[in-house]
Amino acid sequence: MVKERWQIRRLHEECDDEGAARIIYRIEAEGHAFTYIARAYPWDGVEKVGRRSDGASRDMFGALFVRVASPERIAAEFETFDAKTEGLAMRTDADVIGWTPANRSSRHFDAAVDALARGEQPTGECLNYLMRNGGFQSSGRNGSVSFLGIPSDHPLSHPFFADLFAVYLVRLTSIDLANAVARRRNPDAAQLDGSVARQIGIGNSSGQGMCVALQRWPHWVASWVSVRETALAFAKSRPVTDEGRRTLSAGIVRSIRVYERADPQVEDYVAGNDEMIADLRAIAEMAQAPDLRIWNDLAVRVAASMGGESVEQLNSLLLDLVPEFCDEVAPYLRLGAARKRSLEPAMTIAELREILRRNYGWALRMDRTLASTHQHFWYHSADNGEQRRGERIIDQHETFESFIDHVGLIHRLAAVVMTRRDDERVGDLVLDHPELHFAISRVQYLDGVPYAEIRGGLADRNFRPSDLIRFFLASLGIRGSVPLSIRYVRGTFYQDHPLPAEFADERPAARGDRRLAEVVS
Protein backbone atom coordinates (compact mmCIF):
# COMPACT_ATOMS: atom_id res chain seq x y z
CA MET A 1 0.00 0.00 0.00
CA VAL A 2 2.86 2.35 0.78
CA LYS A 3 4.88 1.40 -2.29
CA GLU A 4 1.90 1.73 -4.64
CA ARG A 5 0.74 4.96 -2.94
CA TRP A 6 -2.79 3.79 -2.24
CA GLN A 7 -5.23 6.61 -1.55
CA ILE A 8 -7.93 6.19 1.09
CA ARG A 9 -10.25 9.20 1.30
CA ARG A 10 -13.06 9.73 3.74
CA LEU A 11 -15.91 11.06 1.58
CA HIS A 12 -18.68 11.26 4.16
CA GLU A 13 -19.00 11.10 7.93
CA GLU A 14 -22.00 11.59 10.19
CA CYS A 15 -22.10 10.84 13.90
CA ASP A 16 -24.63 11.55 16.64
CA ASP A 17 -24.23 12.04 20.40
CA GLU A 18 -24.71 8.31 21.11
CA GLY A 19 -21.91 7.28 18.76
CA ALA A 20 -24.12 6.06 15.93
CA ALA A 21 -22.30 6.86 12.71
CA ARG A 22 -22.10 6.31 8.98
CA ILE A 23 -18.76 6.71 7.24
CA ILE A 24 -17.98 6.30 3.54
CA TYR A 25 -14.47 5.84 2.11
CA ARG A 26 -13.12 5.75 -1.44
CA ILE A 27 -9.99 3.72 -2.15
CA GLU A 28 -7.82 4.20 -5.23
CA ALA A 29 -5.18 1.56 -5.77
CA GLU A 30 -3.23 0.26 -8.76
CA GLY A 31 -5.65 1.73 -11.32
CA HIS A 32 -8.77 0.60 -9.46
CA ALA A 33 -11.25 2.54 -7.35
CA PHE A 34 -13.63 0.98 -4.85
CA THR A 35 -15.78 1.84 -1.85
CA TYR A 36 -15.85 0.93 1.81
CA ILE A 37 -18.71 1.89 4.12
CA ALA A 38 -18.97 1.57 7.90
CA ARG A 39 -22.06 1.70 10.09
CA ALA A 40 -21.54 2.20 13.83
CA TYR A 41 -24.44 1.73 16.21
CA PRO A 42 -25.33 3.64 19.39
CA TRP A 43 -22.80 2.73 22.05
CA ASP A 44 -24.39 0.97 25.01
CA GLY A 45 -21.13 0.42 26.88
CA VAL A 46 -21.62 -3.36 26.83
CA GLU A 47 -18.63 -5.51 25.91
CA LYS A 48 -19.61 -7.94 23.15
CA VAL A 49 -17.58 -11.10 22.75
CA GLY A 50 -17.89 -14.47 21.05
CA ARG A 51 -20.54 -15.50 18.54
CA ARG A 52 -19.47 -14.59 15.03
CA SER A 53 -22.97 -15.53 13.87
CA ASP A 54 -24.57 -12.52 15.51
CA GLY A 55 -25.03 -10.80 12.15
CA ALA A 56 -25.42 -7.06 12.49
CA SER A 57 -25.80 -7.31 16.28
CA ARG A 58 -22.39 -5.73 16.56
CA ASP A 59 -21.10 -2.29 17.47
CA MET A 60 -20.02 -1.76 13.89
CA PHE A 61 -20.64 -3.36 10.51
CA GLY A 62 -18.91 -2.49 7.25
CA ALA A 63 -18.97 -3.48 3.59
CA LEU A 64 -16.04 -3.55 1.16
CA PHE A 65 -17.18 -3.21 -2.45
CA VAL A 66 -15.41 -4.53 -5.55
CA ARG A 67 -15.82 -1.19 -7.31
CA VAL A 68 -17.13 2.31 -6.58
CA ALA A 69 -20.66 1.98 -5.24
CA SER A 70 -23.43 4.40 -6.20
CA PRO A 71 -25.26 6.42 -3.51
CA GLU A 72 -28.30 4.23 -4.06
CA ARG A 73 -26.29 1.04 -3.62
CA ILE A 74 -24.64 2.40 -0.48
CA ALA A 75 -28.04 3.33 0.97
CA ALA A 76 -29.33 -0.17 0.27
CA GLU A 77 -26.37 -1.76 2.08
CA PHE A 78 -26.87 0.51 5.10
CA GLU A 79 -30.53 -0.61 5.16
CA THR A 80 -29.38 -4.24 5.20
CA PHE A 81 -27.22 -3.56 8.23
CA ASP A 82 -29.94 -1.64 10.04
CA ALA A 83 -32.46 -4.45 9.55
CA LYS A 84 -30.45 -6.42 12.13
CA THR A 85 -31.31 -9.72 10.48
CA GLU A 86 -29.77 -12.73 12.16
CA GLY A 87 -26.57 -14.31 10.88
CA LEU A 88 -26.56 -15.97 7.47
CA ALA A 89 -30.06 -14.63 6.71
CA MET A 90 -28.44 -11.26 5.95
CA ARG A 91 -27.94 -10.91 2.22
CA THR A 92 -25.81 -8.75 -0.01
CA ASP A 93 -24.89 -8.83 -3.72
CA ALA A 94 -21.83 -10.01 -5.60
CA ASP A 95 -20.60 -6.41 -5.92
CA VAL A 96 -19.46 -6.74 -2.29
CA ILE A 97 -16.18 -8.48 -1.45
CA GLY A 98 -17.15 -8.95 2.17
CA TRP A 99 -18.52 -7.58 5.43
CA THR A 100 -16.50 -6.42 8.43
CA PRO A 101 -18.28 -6.84 11.77
CA ALA A 102 -16.44 -5.35 14.74
CA ASN A 103 -16.98 -4.45 18.39
CA ARG A 104 -15.74 -1.59 20.53
CA SER A 105 -13.55 -2.23 23.52
CA SER A 106 -15.44 -0.87 26.52
CA ARG A 107 -12.11 -0.05 28.18
CA HIS A 108 -10.00 1.27 25.35
CA PHE A 109 -12.55 3.10 23.21
CA ASP A 110 -14.07 5.04 26.10
CA ALA A 111 -10.67 5.87 27.56
CA ALA A 112 -9.44 7.26 24.24
CA VAL A 113 -12.60 9.31 23.63
CA ASP A 114 -12.58 10.68 27.19
CA ALA A 115 -8.99 11.85 26.77
CA LEU A 116 -9.72 13.51 23.42
CA ALA A 117 -12.83 15.22 24.82
CA ARG A 118 -10.62 16.71 27.55
CA GLY A 119 -8.30 18.04 24.87
CA GLU A 120 -5.59 15.43 25.57
CA GLN A 121 -3.95 12.64 23.60
CA PRO A 122 -4.74 9.15 24.96
CA THR A 123 -1.96 7.09 26.50
CA GLY A 124 -1.44 3.63 27.93
CA GLU A 125 -3.26 0.41 27.07
CA CYS A 126 -5.96 2.09 24.99
CA LEU A 127 -3.36 2.59 22.26
CA ASN A 128 -3.33 -1.18 21.68
CA TYR A 129 -6.71 -1.07 19.95
CA LEU A 130 -10.07 0.72 20.08
CA MET A 131 -12.12 -2.00 18.40
CA ARG A 132 -11.88 -5.75 17.92
CA ASN A 133 -12.16 -7.54 14.62
CA GLY A 134 -15.27 -9.72 14.35
CA GLY A 135 -14.18 -11.69 11.29
CA PHE A 136 -14.50 -11.11 7.55
CA GLN A 137 -17.66 -12.52 6.00
CA SER A 138 -16.63 -13.02 2.39
CA SER A 139 -15.99 -15.44 -0.49
CA GLY A 140 -19.62 -16.27 -1.14
CA ARG A 141 -20.96 -15.94 2.38
CA ASN A 142 -24.18 -13.91 2.65
CA GLY A 143 -24.22 -13.49 -1.14
CA SER A 144 -20.82 -11.78 -1.42
CA VAL A 145 -18.63 -12.41 -4.44
CA SER A 146 -16.54 -15.58 -4.33
CA PHE A 147 -12.79 -15.17 -4.13
CA LEU A 148 -12.42 -16.44 -7.71
CA GLY A 149 -14.98 -13.85 -8.80
CA ILE A 150 -12.74 -10.92 -7.88
CA PRO A 151 -11.17 -9.61 -11.13
CA SER A 152 -7.66 -10.99 -11.52
CA ASP A 153 -6.15 -7.52 -11.93
CA HIS A 154 -7.89 -6.18 -8.82
CA PRO A 155 -5.41 -5.29 -6.02
CA LEU A 156 -7.39 -7.48 -3.59
CA SER A 157 -7.41 -10.63 -5.77
CA HIS A 158 -4.36 -12.03 -3.97
CA PRO A 159 -5.16 -14.69 -1.31
CA PHE A 160 -6.02 -13.04 2.03
CA PHE A 161 -5.29 -9.51 0.77
CA ALA A 162 -8.99 -8.60 1.01
CA ASP A 163 -9.22 -10.08 4.49
CA LEU A 164 -6.22 -8.16 5.76
CA PHE A 165 -7.19 -4.94 4.02
CA ALA A 166 -10.65 -5.22 5.59
CA VAL A 167 -9.02 -5.44 9.03
CA TYR A 168 -6.96 -2.36 8.14
CA LEU A 169 -10.14 -0.48 7.24
CA VAL A 170 -11.73 -1.40 10.56
CA ARG A 171 -8.64 0.05 12.23
CA LEU A 172 -9.04 3.26 10.23
CA THR A 173 -12.75 3.43 11.04
CA SER A 174 -12.10 2.97 14.76
CA ILE A 175 -9.74 5.95 14.73
CA ASP A 176 -12.10 8.16 12.72
CA LEU A 177 -15.03 7.14 14.94
CA ALA A 178 -13.16 7.99 18.15
CA ASN A 179 -12.34 11.42 16.72
CA ALA A 180 -15.95 11.97 15.66
CA VAL A 181 -17.45 10.94 19.00
CA ALA A 182 -15.01 13.20 20.85
CA ARG A 183 -16.03 16.16 18.66
CA ARG A 184 -19.70 15.49 19.46
CA ARG A 185 -18.91 15.64 23.16
CA ASN A 186 -16.75 18.72 22.84
CA PRO A 187 -16.42 20.82 19.64
CA ASP A 188 -12.93 21.78 20.85
CA ALA A 189 -11.87 18.20 21.52
CA ALA A 190 -8.41 17.07 20.53
CA GLN A 191 -8.07 14.75 17.56
CA LEU A 192 -5.74 11.79 17.46
CA ASP A 193 -2.29 12.95 16.47
CA GLY A 194 -0.77 10.93 13.65
CA SER A 195 2.08 9.63 15.81
CA VAL A 196 -0.43 8.48 18.44
CA ALA A 197 -2.95 7.03 15.99
CA ARG A 198 -0.16 5.06 14.33
CA GLN A 199 0.25 3.01 17.51
CA ILE A 200 -3.40 1.92 17.49
CA GLY A 201 -4.09 -1.49 16.04
CA ILE A 202 -7.13 -3.73 15.85
CA GLY A 203 -7.84 -6.31 18.50
CA ASN A 204 -8.38 -9.89 17.40
CA SER A 205 -9.45 -13.08 19.16
CA SER A 206 -9.44 -16.32 17.18
CA GLY A 207 -10.55 -19.77 18.18
CA GLN A 208 -9.83 -23.39 17.42
CA GLY A 209 -11.83 -23.45 14.19
CA MET A 210 -8.65 -22.25 12.47
CA CYS A 211 -7.23 -25.75 12.92
CA VAL A 212 -9.85 -27.11 10.53
CA ALA A 213 -8.93 -24.54 7.87
CA LEU A 214 -5.25 -25.49 8.06
CA GLN A 215 -6.14 -29.17 7.65
CA ARG A 216 -8.50 -28.50 4.77
CA TRP A 217 -6.04 -26.36 2.79
CA PRO A 218 -2.56 -27.82 3.40
CA HIS A 219 -1.13 -26.19 0.27
CA TRP A 220 -1.78 -22.80 1.91
CA VAL A 221 0.43 -23.84 4.79
CA ALA A 222 3.07 -25.09 2.37
CA SER A 223 3.01 -21.80 0.46
CA TRP A 224 3.29 -19.59 3.54
CA VAL A 225 6.13 -21.55 5.09
CA SER A 226 8.03 -22.08 1.83
CA VAL A 227 8.02 -18.36 1.06
CA ARG A 228 9.01 -17.43 4.59
CA GLU A 229 11.80 -20.00 4.81
CA THR A 230 13.17 -18.96 1.42
CA ALA A 231 13.24 -15.30 2.41
CA LEU A 232 14.69 -16.14 5.82
CA ALA A 233 17.48 -18.23 4.31
CA PHE A 234 18.36 -15.33 2.02
CA ALA A 235 18.33 -12.85 4.91
CA LYS A 236 20.60 -15.04 7.01
CA SER A 237 23.08 -15.30 4.13
CA ARG A 238 23.47 -11.53 3.80
CA PRO A 239 26.54 -9.75 5.22
CA VAL A 240 26.11 -7.74 8.40
CA THR A 241 26.19 -4.00 7.69
CA ASP A 242 25.76 -0.85 9.75
CA GLU A 243 22.52 -0.11 7.92
CA GLY A 244 21.28 -3.61 8.68
CA ARG A 245 22.14 -3.16 12.34
CA ARG A 246 20.14 0.07 12.43
CA THR A 247 17.13 -1.57 10.75
CA LEU A 248 17.25 -4.51 13.15
CA SER A 249 17.59 -2.19 16.14
CA ALA A 250 14.53 -0.19 15.06
CA GLY A 251 12.56 -3.41 14.65
CA ILE A 252 13.57 -4.56 18.11
CA VAL A 253 12.43 -1.24 19.61
CA ARG A 254 9.02 -1.60 17.93
CA SER A 255 8.67 -5.20 19.10
CA ILE A 256 9.57 -4.31 22.68
CA ARG A 257 6.93 -1.59 22.61
CA VAL A 258 4.31 -4.18 21.59
CA TYR A 259 5.35 -6.61 24.35
CA GLU A 260 5.32 -3.81 26.92
CA ARG A 261 1.69 -3.02 26.13
CA ALA A 262 0.42 -6.53 25.34
CA ASP A 263 -1.70 -8.40 27.84
CA PRO A 264 0.38 -10.68 30.08
CA GLN A 265 0.73 -14.31 29.09
CA VAL A 266 -1.43 -16.61 31.19
CA GLU A 267 -0.28 -20.00 29.83
CA ASP A 268 3.01 -21.46 31.02
CA TYR A 269 3.85 -22.96 27.62
CA VAL A 270 4.25 -19.46 26.13
CA ALA A 271 7.23 -17.24 26.85
CA GLY A 272 6.23 -14.32 29.07
CA ASN A 273 6.40 -10.72 27.90
CA ASP A 274 9.19 -9.87 30.35
CA GLU A 275 11.26 -12.78 29.07
CA MET A 276 10.72 -11.70 25.47
CA ILE A 277 11.67 -8.10 26.26
CA ALA A 278 14.84 -9.21 28.05
CA ASP A 279 15.79 -11.50 25.16
CA LEU A 280 15.16 -8.77 22.59
CA ARG A 281 17.41 -6.37 24.47
CA ALA A 282 20.08 -9.06 24.64
CA ILE A 283 19.71 -9.67 20.90
CA ALA A 284 20.18 -5.94 20.28
CA GLU A 285 23.50 -6.11 22.13
CA MET A 286 24.57 -9.31 20.40
CA ALA A 287 23.87 -7.73 17.01
CA GLN A 288 26.59 -5.15 17.66
CA ALA A 289 29.33 -7.78 17.99
CA PRO A 290 32.16 -6.85 15.61
CA ASP A 291 32.89 -10.46 14.61
CA LEU A 292 29.50 -11.05 12.95
CA ARG A 293 30.04 -11.77 9.25
CA ILE A 294 26.58 -12.76 8.09
CA TRP A 295 23.23 -12.59 9.88
CA ASN A 296 23.18 -16.36 10.31
CA ASP A 297 26.05 -15.90 12.80
CA LEU A 298 23.67 -13.93 15.01
CA ALA A 299 20.85 -16.45 14.48
CA VAL A 300 23.13 -19.33 15.58
CA ARG A 301 24.15 -17.51 18.76
CA VAL A 302 20.56 -16.66 19.64
CA ALA A 303 19.42 -20.24 19.04
CA ALA A 304 22.16 -21.51 21.35
CA SER A 305 21.18 -19.28 24.26
CA MET A 306 17.44 -18.51 23.97
CA GLY A 307 14.11 -20.26 23.60
CA GLY A 308 12.20 -20.98 20.43
CA GLU A 309 9.89 -17.97 20.68
CA SER A 310 12.80 -15.53 20.84
CA VAL A 311 14.45 -17.32 17.92
CA GLU A 312 11.31 -16.93 15.83
CA GLN A 313 10.97 -13.28 16.86
CA LEU A 314 14.49 -12.68 15.55
CA ASN A 315 13.67 -14.56 12.34
CA SER A 316 10.72 -12.24 11.72
CA LEU A 317 12.91 -9.19 12.30
CA LEU A 318 15.57 -10.50 9.92
CA LEU A 319 13.00 -10.52 7.10
CA ASP A 320 12.79 -6.74 7.42
CA LEU A 321 16.43 -6.57 6.30
CA VAL A 322 15.58 -7.90 2.81
CA PRO A 323 12.26 -6.30 1.81
CA GLU A 324 13.07 -6.34 -1.90
CA PHE A 325 13.75 -10.08 -1.87
CA CYS A 326 10.54 -10.66 0.08
CA ASP A 327 8.65 -8.81 -2.66
CA GLU A 328 10.33 -10.97 -5.30
CA VAL A 329 9.26 -14.28 -3.73
CA ALA A 330 5.80 -13.08 -2.63
CA PRO A 331 4.11 -14.00 -5.98
CA TYR A 332 4.57 -17.66 -5.06
CA LEU A 333 1.93 -17.16 -2.36
CA ARG A 334 -0.64 -16.78 -5.12
CA LEU A 335 0.77 -19.68 -7.16
CA GLY A 336 0.92 -22.00 -4.19
CA ALA A 337 -2.60 -21.17 -3.05
CA ALA A 338 -3.89 -21.93 -6.55
CA ARG A 339 -2.77 -25.55 -6.39
CA LYS A 340 -5.73 -27.91 -6.82
CA ARG A 341 -6.28 -31.33 -5.38
CA SER A 342 -6.97 -33.95 -8.06
CA LEU A 343 -6.88 -37.71 -8.45
CA GLU A 344 -4.36 -39.42 -10.74
CA PRO A 345 -6.14 -42.72 -11.49
CA ALA A 346 -3.38 -44.10 -13.74
CA MET A 347 -0.81 -44.10 -10.92
CA THR A 348 0.22 -47.60 -9.86
CA ILE A 349 -0.22 -48.90 -6.35
CA ALA A 350 3.57 -49.27 -6.12
CA GLU A 351 3.98 -45.56 -6.85
CA LEU A 352 1.32 -44.61 -4.29
CA ARG A 353 2.94 -46.87 -1.71
CA GLU A 354 6.29 -45.18 -2.32
CA ILE A 355 4.75 -41.72 -1.76
CA LEU A 356 3.38 -42.92 1.57
CA ARG A 357 6.80 -44.23 2.59
CA ARG A 358 8.57 -41.08 1.45
CA ASN A 359 6.23 -38.43 2.85
CA TYR A 360 4.21 -40.03 5.64
CA GLY A 361 6.60 -42.20 7.60
CA TRP A 362 6.17 -39.84 10.55
CA ALA A 363 2.39 -40.51 10.54
CA LEU A 364 2.64 -44.27 10.00
CA ARG A 365 5.00 -44.60 12.97
CA MET A 366 2.35 -43.16 15.31
CA ASP A 367 0.61 -45.68 17.54
CA ARG A 368 -3.12 -45.33 16.92
CA THR A 369 -4.20 -48.19 19.16
CA LEU A 370 -4.68 -45.89 22.17
CA ALA A 371 -7.99 -44.05 22.44
CA SER A 372 -6.10 -40.92 23.57
CA THR A 373 -4.62 -40.54 20.06
CA HIS A 374 -8.05 -39.81 18.57
CA GLN A 375 -9.92 -38.53 21.60
CA HIS A 376 -11.16 -35.28 20.09
CA PHE A 377 -13.12 -34.25 17.01
CA TRP A 378 -14.26 -30.97 15.45
CA TYR A 379 -17.76 -30.12 14.26
CA HIS A 380 -19.50 -27.04 12.86
CA SER A 381 -21.75 -25.55 15.53
CA ALA A 382 -25.07 -24.23 14.22
CA ASP A 383 -25.49 -22.23 17.41
CA ASN A 384 -22.11 -20.49 17.27
CA GLY A 385 -21.57 -20.40 13.51
CA GLU A 386 -18.04 -21.80 13.71
CA GLN A 387 -16.01 -24.91 14.48
CA ARG A 388 -16.03 -26.39 17.98
CA ARG A 389 -14.02 -29.24 19.50
CA GLY A 390 -15.79 -32.20 21.06
CA GLU A 391 -14.72 -35.29 22.95
CA ARG A 392 -15.61 -38.65 21.49
CA ILE A 393 -18.29 -40.69 23.29
CA ILE A 394 -18.95 -37.84 25.74
CA ASP A 395 -20.13 -35.26 23.17
CA GLN A 396 -23.01 -36.16 20.89
CA HIS A 397 -22.06 -34.39 17.67
CA GLU A 398 -19.53 -36.92 16.35
CA THR A 399 -21.77 -37.71 13.38
CA PHE A 400 -21.14 -34.13 12.15
CA GLU A 401 -17.36 -34.43 12.42
CA SER A 402 -15.22 -32.08 10.31
CA PHE A 403 -12.01 -33.41 8.75
CA ILE A 404 -9.01 -32.91 11.04
CA ASP A 405 -7.66 -36.44 11.61
CA HIS A 406 -5.13 -36.63 8.79
CA VAL A 407 -3.07 -39.21 10.72
CA GLY A 408 -6.04 -41.58 10.91
CA LEU A 409 -6.72 -40.91 7.22
CA ILE A 410 -3.18 -41.99 6.28
CA HIS A 411 -3.37 -45.09 8.47
CA ARG A 412 -6.63 -46.16 6.82
CA LEU A 413 -5.23 -45.58 3.34
CA ALA A 414 -1.99 -47.44 4.06
CA ALA A 415 -3.87 -50.42 5.49
CA VAL A 416 -5.88 -50.79 2.26
CA VAL A 417 -2.93 -50.09 -0.06
CA MET A 418 -0.94 -52.92 1.54
CA THR A 419 -3.62 -55.39 0.39
CA ARG A 420 -3.25 -54.48 -3.31
CA ARG A 421 -0.79 -55.66 -5.97
CA ASP A 422 1.99 -53.30 -7.10
CA ASP A 423 0.82 -53.26 -10.72
CA GLU A 424 -2.78 -52.30 -9.92
CA ARG A 425 -3.98 -48.78 -10.69
CA VAL A 426 -5.22 -46.19 -8.23
CA GLY A 427 -8.42 -45.84 -10.23
CA ASP A 428 -9.30 -49.47 -9.55
CA LEU A 429 -8.64 -48.96 -5.84
CA VAL A 430 -11.00 -45.98 -5.76
CA LEU A 431 -13.72 -47.98 -7.53
CA ASP A 432 -13.54 -50.55 -4.73
CA HIS A 433 -13.11 -47.95 -1.94
CA PRO A 434 -14.68 -44.65 -3.02
CA GLU A 435 -14.33 -43.35 0.53
CA LEU A 436 -10.55 -43.21 -0.06
CA HIS A 437 -10.79 -40.83 -3.02
CA PHE A 438 -10.05 -37.81 -0.81
CA ALA A 439 -7.13 -39.45 0.98
CA ILE A 440 -5.47 -40.60 -2.25
CA SER A 441 -5.87 -37.31 -4.08
CA ARG A 442 -4.51 -35.45 -1.01
CA VAL A 443 -1.42 -37.66 -0.89
CA GLN A 444 -0.88 -37.32 -4.64
CA TYR A 445 -1.19 -33.57 -5.01
CA LEU A 446 0.97 -32.81 -1.96
CA ASP A 447 3.84 -35.00 -3.13
CA GLY A 448 6.93 -32.83 -3.51
CA VAL A 449 5.33 -29.93 -1.61
CA PRO A 450 7.36 -29.18 1.56
CA TYR A 451 5.77 -28.14 4.85
CA ALA A 452 2.26 -29.16 3.73
CA GLU A 453 1.21 -31.55 6.48
CA ILE A 454 1.04 -30.77 10.19
CA ARG A 455 3.24 -33.41 11.80
CA GLY A 456 1.10 -34.15 14.80
CA GLY A 457 -2.29 -35.52 15.68
CA LEU A 458 -4.97 -32.86 16.02
CA ALA A 459 -7.31 -35.45 17.51
CA ASP A 460 -4.79 -36.37 20.19
CA ARG A 461 -5.68 -35.72 23.83
CA ASN A 462 -2.52 -33.63 24.33
CA PHE A 463 -2.86 -31.49 21.21
CA ARG A 464 -3.06 -27.74 21.92
CA PRO A 465 -5.19 -25.90 19.33
CA SER A 466 -3.59 -22.61 20.41
CA ASP A 467 -0.29 -23.68 18.84
CA LEU A 468 -1.86 -23.86 15.38
CA ILE A 469 -3.96 -20.74 15.99
CA ARG A 470 -0.80 -18.77 16.78
CA PHE A 471 0.87 -20.14 13.65
CA PHE A 472 -2.08 -19.13 11.45
CA LEU A 473 -2.33 -15.66 12.99
CA ALA A 474 1.44 -15.14 12.81
CA SER A 475 1.30 -15.97 9.10
CA LEU A 476 -1.24 -13.17 8.74
CA GLY A 477 0.84 -10.70 10.75
CA ILE A 478 -0.57 -10.60 14.27
CA ARG A 479 1.47 -8.96 17.04
CA GLY A 480 1.62 -9.87 20.73
CA SER A 481 -0.43 -13.07 20.52
CA VAL A 482 -1.70 -14.23 23.91
CA PRO A 483 -3.46 -17.60 24.38
CA LEU A 484 -6.50 -17.07 26.62
CA SER A 485 -6.58 -20.86 26.95
CA ILE A 486 -5.55 -23.75 24.72
CA ARG A 487 -8.60 -22.90 22.57
CA TYR A 488 -8.39 -19.11 22.00
CA VAL A 489 -5.67 -16.63 21.10
CA ARG A 490 -5.87 -12.85 21.13
CA GLY A 491 -3.55 -10.18 19.81
CA THR A 492 -3.47 -7.11 17.59
CA PHE A 493 -3.02 -6.31 13.91
CA TYR A 494 -1.40 -3.19 12.42
CA GLN A 495 0.13 -1.66 15.53
CA ASP A 496 2.80 0.84 14.49
CA HIS A 497 1.79 0.51 10.83
CA PRO A 498 1.42 3.44 8.42
CA LEU A 499 -1.77 5.48 8.14
CA PRO A 500 -3.35 6.66 4.86
CA ALA A 501 -2.00 10.16 5.27
CA GLU A 502 1.51 8.71 5.17
CA PHE A 503 1.25 6.84 1.88
CA ALA A 504 2.00 9.86 -0.30
CA ASP A 505 5.01 10.86 1.81
CA GLU A 506 8.36 9.61 0.55
CA ARG A 507 10.06 10.37 3.87
CA PRO A 508 9.35 7.50 6.30
CA ALA A 509 10.92 9.32 9.25
CA ALA A 510 8.42 12.17 8.99
CA ARG A 511 5.33 10.06 8.55
CA GLY A 512 4.13 9.87 12.13
CA ASP A 513 3.69 13.61 12.57
CA ARG A 514 0.60 14.12 10.44
CA ARG A 515 -2.92 14.18 11.71
CA LEU A 516 -5.13 11.31 10.62
CA ALA A 517 -7.89 13.70 9.64
CA GLU A 518 -5.86 14.83 6.63
CA VAL A 519 -7.34 13.58 3.38
CA VAL A 520 -4.94 12.13 0.82
CA SER A 521 -5.88 13.47 -2.59
Side-chain angles (χ1 to χ4, degrees):
M1 290 165 64
V2 173
K3 184 173 68 175
E4 300 293 339
R5 304 291 181 84
W6 286 29
Q7 298 179 9
I8 305 176
R9 295 183 290 165
R10 191 175 66 247
L11 301 182
H12 174 79
E13 178 185 86
E14 58 184 79
C15 179
D16 66 16
D17 293 339
E18 297 181 337
R22 297 186 180 197
I23 309 176
I24 302 172
Y25 298 92
R26 177 187 173 98
I27 300 102
E28 296 182 10
E30 302 175 32
H32 291 259
F34 42 104
T35 300
Y36 175 71
I37 65 173
R39 176 71 164 105
Y41 295 100
W43 176 225
D44 55 12
V46 176
E47 194 88 13
K48 301 174 183 65
V49 296
R51 289 183 54 112
R52 291 179 182 269
S53 61
D54 278 343
S57 297
R58 299 284 190 164
D59 294 328
M60 192 211 88
F61 223 72
L64 177 60
F65 288 83
V66 178
R67 300 178 179 85
V68 174
S70 68
E72 294 77 17
R73 181 66 187 85
I74 291 173
E77 201 73 0
F78 277 135
E79 289 178 4
T80 298
F81 296 160
D82 291 345
K84 294 284 188 176
T85 307
E86 277 296 317
L88 293 176
M90 294 177 64
R91 304 303 297 171
T92 187
D93 294 330
D95 57 356
V96 167
I97 296 177
W99 284 340
T100 59
N103 290 319
R104 304 184 200 191
S105 165
S106 60
R107 293 181 299 149
H108 300 337
F109 191 89
D110 287 347
V113 170
D114 289 344
L116 293 172
R118 294 193 305 267
E120 305 168 359
Q121 292 294 315
T123 58
E125 288 186 0
C126 67
L127 296 183
N128 286 345
Y129 61 89
L130 303 179
M131 301 185 79
R132 292 189 308 277
N133 167 44
F136 186 50
Q137 296 176 213
S138 63
S139 199
R141 291 184 66 187
N142 304 90
S144 60
V145 66
S146 71
F147 172 73
L148 296 177
I150 301 174
S152 59
D153 63 340
H154 196 284
L156 299 180
S157 65
H158 193 290
F160 285 101
F161 271 27
D163 309 60
L164 291 170
F165 184 58
V167 174
Y168 183 87
L169 290 172
V170 174
R171 176 207 188 200
L172 178 59
T173 301
S174 72
I175 295 170
D176 284 347
L177 183 61
N179 282 333
V181 173
R183 288 196 305 271
R184 293 293 302 189
R185 294 188 185 178
N186 176 11
D188 297 323
Q191 300 289 271
L192 285 164
D193 183 81
S195 60
V196 175
R198 199 182 206 273
Q199 301 178 52
I200 296 173
I202 278 294
N204 187 87
S205 180
S206 295
Q208 55 198 356
M210 283 189 162
C211 300
V212 178
L214 293 176
Q215 282 291 62
R216 188 171 295 166
W217 309 104
H219 54 287
W220 289 359
V221 179
S223 301
W224 299 340
V225 180
S226 295
V227 168
R228 182 178 189 269
E229 291 300 311
T230 300
L232 181 58
F234 181 80
K236 288 182 176 181
S237 73
R238 296 298 87 196
V240 175
T241 64
D242 290 340
E243 181 181 358
R245 285 190 169 101
R246 288 192 293 270
T247 300
L248 180 62
S249 177
I252 289 175
V253 168
R254 289 193 302 271
S255 297
I256 288 176
R257 190 157 57 226
V258 171
Y259 283 112
E260 287 176 336
R261 293 207 307 255
D263 293 323
Q265 299 288 354
V266 296
E267 299 289 340
D268 58 9
Y269 59 86
V270 179
N273 295 347
D274 291 341
E275 177 184 347
M276 294 300 298
I277 291 171
D279 282 354
L280 282 167
R281 288 173 175 159
I283 291 173
E285 293 183 8
M286 295 167 67
Q288 303 305 316
D291 61 335
L292 295 178
R293 300 177 300 102
I294 59 176
W295 287 112
N296 190 56
D297 295 340
L298 175 63
V300 169
R301 296 178 188 182
V302 170
S305 60
M306 299 180 186
E309 299 220 14
S310 297
V311 169
E312 288 302 325
Q313 180 65 80
L314 171 62
N315 286 342
S316 294
L317 293 169
L318 289 177
L319 296 179
D320 289 338
L321 305 182
V322 290
E324 295 83 5
F325 185 85
C326 290
D327 287 342
E328 290 298 321
V329 297
Y332 182 75
L333 291 169
R334 183 197 296 266
L335 295 174
R339 181 182 292 269
K340 296 185 183 299
R341 180 175 58 84
S342 62
L343 183 76
E344 299 178 30
M347 177 181 287
T348 66
I349 294 297
E351 291 172 317
L352 179 60
R353 188 181 292 121
E354 177 56 30
I355 293 177
L356 289 173
R357 287 198 184 102
R358 183 170 62 245
N359 298 338
Y360 292 93
W362 58 271
L364 295 172
R365 285 190 293 270
M366 290 185 179
D367 183 359
R368 294 279 296 182
T369 60
L370 298 176
S372 61
T373 62
H374 43 93
Q375 180 169 328
H376 292 118
F377 67 96
W378 268 254
Y379 62 96
H380 187 84
S381 169
D383 289 337
N384 295 283
E386 55 186 5
Q387 295 286 337
R388 288 286 186 262
R389 187 169 77 158
E391 189 165 347
R392 298 189 194 279
I393 302 177
I394 295 177
D395 293 317
Q396 57 186 322
H397 306 300
E398 193 172 346
T399 54
F400 302 102
E401 181 174 359
S402 302
F403 168 68
I404 54 94
D405 188 13
H406 61 319
V407 176
L409 187 78
I410 295 300
H411 275 242
R412 165 65 176 156
L413 174 60
V416 174
V417 165
M418 293 305 295
T419 67
R420 314 293 288 215
R421 298 192 317 273
D422 284 354
D423 59 350
E424 287 187 81
R425 302 290 175 174
V426 163
D428 295 323
L429 173 59
V430 172
L431 286 175
D432 293 338
H433 297 276
E435 75 280 3
L436 292 178
H437 181 287
F438 171 75
I440 296 172
S441 60
R442 182 183 178 102
V443 167
Q444 287 178 328
Y445 98 110
L446 293 179
D447 185 33
V449 180
Y451 311 113
E453 296 283 22
I454 299 162
R455 297 200 172 190
L458 275 66
D460 193 277
R461 173 192 296 168
N462 298 320
F463 168 69
R464 289 195 301 255
S466 57
D467 290 340
L468 279 188
I469 300 169
R470 294 183 81 205
F471 164 78
F472 199 155
L473 293 175
S475 298
L476 299 177
I478 203 167
R479 306 289 296 272
S481 63
V482 179
L484 297 175
S485 69
I486 64 170
R487 295 179 176 86
Y488 293 95
V489 175
R490 63 185 172 190
T492 58
F493 286 98
Y494 294 117
Q495 277 189 270
D496 279 334
H497 279 60
L499 299 167
E502 305 174 41
F503 295 167
D505 192 339
E506 294 181 344
R507 299 165 296 165
R511 287 174 175 172
D513 299 329
R514 301 192 175 197
R515 292 188 178 276
L516 183 71
E518 289 181 4
V519 175
V520 179
S521 62

